[in-house]
Every structure is written in structure tokens, then in C-alpha cells.
Amino acid sequence: MTEEVWHGVGLTRRVIESVRSEPGRAMFEPVAWVGHTPWVAGEPRPMDREALAGAVFPSGRPLSPSLREWLAFDTTLFERCGWFAEDGGFAPRPLDELVGDELGQPWGETFEGLAERFPECFLLPGGSDSRRVLAVGAADSLGEYPVVAVDVDDMPYAGLMYPGFDVYVAEVAGFVQCEFETYTDLGSDVVYGRRMREHAVRSFSGRLCAEYPF
């Protein structure tokens, strides 16, 4: 297969086609343990074409190619995670605020040291005492933003888990295989390691993660 099949729009389209055939199926298994989180709530509801054509994040940064592709298919996945304001615009949160909203205090306060580095974050499904967060900032060479895992099970932790939304949805859908003994395992992956290392330089001064105190 060509490289485009494993990255960006090409990879995202493969996932969309698999979801389109059964949009209400669970993202995560086993459902008895994690609950039913459908890919799509009801029927797919794409973003209005005109709105999507002009859409940017509040910072002015462009949507990544994979996000633009997904929004052309469906918005319900993001609506459930609080991506949009009442006026339909994007509603990002700095990392510490998102952690505080999702995991409570004092956990949010412990991430204040990363808030300036990650000021424009969006929640994604996944995790129990951890969360998956799309961190809009400097994009990689494909124009994608990283998905960061935040965890408070032991010491507060933030680490690069996926190089982009494209790889996040592909791994959840089963197109990308990774056992994740640690959150940052894709950093050594033969296909995705290069992009992970690009984000490491931009996000954690060359490292794949950061631990408290940040």
C-alpha cells in the first residue's frame, strides 16, 4: 500500500468507510466493561459545506486534513465531547481547564504548567482515569495535530499517544495495531515514529512525555 493509505486523509477515509456501514457500533470493547460509545450518534451529520470551507480554530490555526475529512462526514462524535459553542463555533479549552473539567480538582491545577504549551485542546473518547486530548498547536509535516494522553492514576502525566486524529481513529477502528504497553509506544513505530518525533520536539522539547511537576 502507498504511504497515503497509512496517514492523513487516506487513512481517515478508510475508517470512515468502515464506520459508514455500521455507524452506531461501539468504538471500544468490551462494551460490558467500558460502556457503549458509538462512532455516530444516530445518523451521520456532516458539517455544512460552506461552514467547513471557512472553518479555522479560534487561534486561527487551520483544521488538520483528517479533521476536515471527518467533519465532512459527521459532527456528532465531536459534539458529544463538547467541541462546539452554542453559536456552532469551536470551543477549545487549555489543558489544565480540560483536565479539571474531566477529572476534577486538584488534578486540573497540577497541569497549569502545561497550559501555555497546550492552550487549545479538545476532548476525544477513550480512557478511564486518563483522557485523550487533541492538542492544537504546531502541526507535523502532514498538517496534523497530536493526540495527547493525560493520566492522573499515579503522578500527573501527559504523553504523546498518536501523531494525529488520523492515527487515533484508525487505531480505535482496528486499522493500526498497537498494544500500548506505554502511552508513547508509537514513538518507536516504523510507520508513525517520524511524526511522533516531530511532535516531541514541538511539544516536550524532544521528549515524548512529561511528568509532574511540569
Side-chain angles (χ1 to χ4, degrees):
M1 293 186 179
T2 63
E3 180 174 343
E4 289 76 12
V5 175
W6 296 104
H7 298 272
V9 171
L11 181 59
T12 308
R13 285 176 177 168
R14 293 174 64 199
V15 179
I16 288 172
E17 288 309 306
S18 73
V19 172
R20 196 188 303 275
S21 63
E22 192 181 353
R25 81 172 192 266
M27 295 180 69
F28 306 104
E29 300 287 350
V31 171
W33 292 1
V34 299
H36 182 69
T37 303
W39 282 97
V40 176
E43 295 297 320
R45 188 163 63 248
M47 180 175 282
D48 176 79
R49 287 187 179 184
E50 186 174 342
L52 181 57
V56 296
F57 292 115
S59 63
R61 293 186 184 277
L63 304 185
S64 72
S66 65
L67 285 173
R68 190 170 292 277
E69 191 72 19
W70 196 274
L71 285 164
F73 163 62
D74 179 58
T75 57
T76 68
L77 178 67
F78 303 135
E79 287 173 352
R80 287 176 284 148
C81 290
W83 280 45
F84 303 109
E86 290 185 4
D87 64 1
F90 290 104
R93 291 171 283 177
L95 185 61
D96 60 333
E97 181 180 327
L98 187 152
V99 172
D101 291 344
E102 294 297 319
L103 300 174
Q105 297 296 355
W107 299 122
E109 296 172 359
T110 66
F111 283 83
E112 288 179 355
L114 293 179
E116 185 174 351
R117 194 176 303 180
F118 299 108
E120 201 166 32
C121 296
F122 296 88
L123 182 68
L124 289 168
S128 53
D129 52 6
S130 64
R131 293 293 186 271
R132 312 291 178 257
V133 177
L134 183 85
V136 176
D140 65 17
S141 53
L142 296 184
E144 297 288 338
Y145 305 113
V147 174
V148 174
V150 294
D151 196 321
V152 297
D153 183 45
D154 188 7
M155 293 294 287
Y157 166 98
L160 295 167
M161 191 169 184
Y162 303 97
F165 178 76
D166 55 335
V167 184
Y168 162 79
V169 290
E171 193 276 326
V172 173
F175 286 91
V176 172
Q177 302 297 321
C178 186
E179 295 298 326
F180 284 113
E181 293 183 8
T182 68
Y183 290 120
T184 59
D185 279 359
L186 285 178
S188 58
D189 185 80
V190 66
V191 176
Y192 300 111
R194 173 182 57 81
R195 290 175 56 194
M196 292 283 282
R197 290 188 291 274
E198 289 179 33
H199 288 305
V201 171
R202 296 172 172 89
S203 300
F204 294 115
S205 302
R207 299 179 61 201
L208 291 168
C209 65
E211 294 180 289
Y212 184 79
F214 301 118

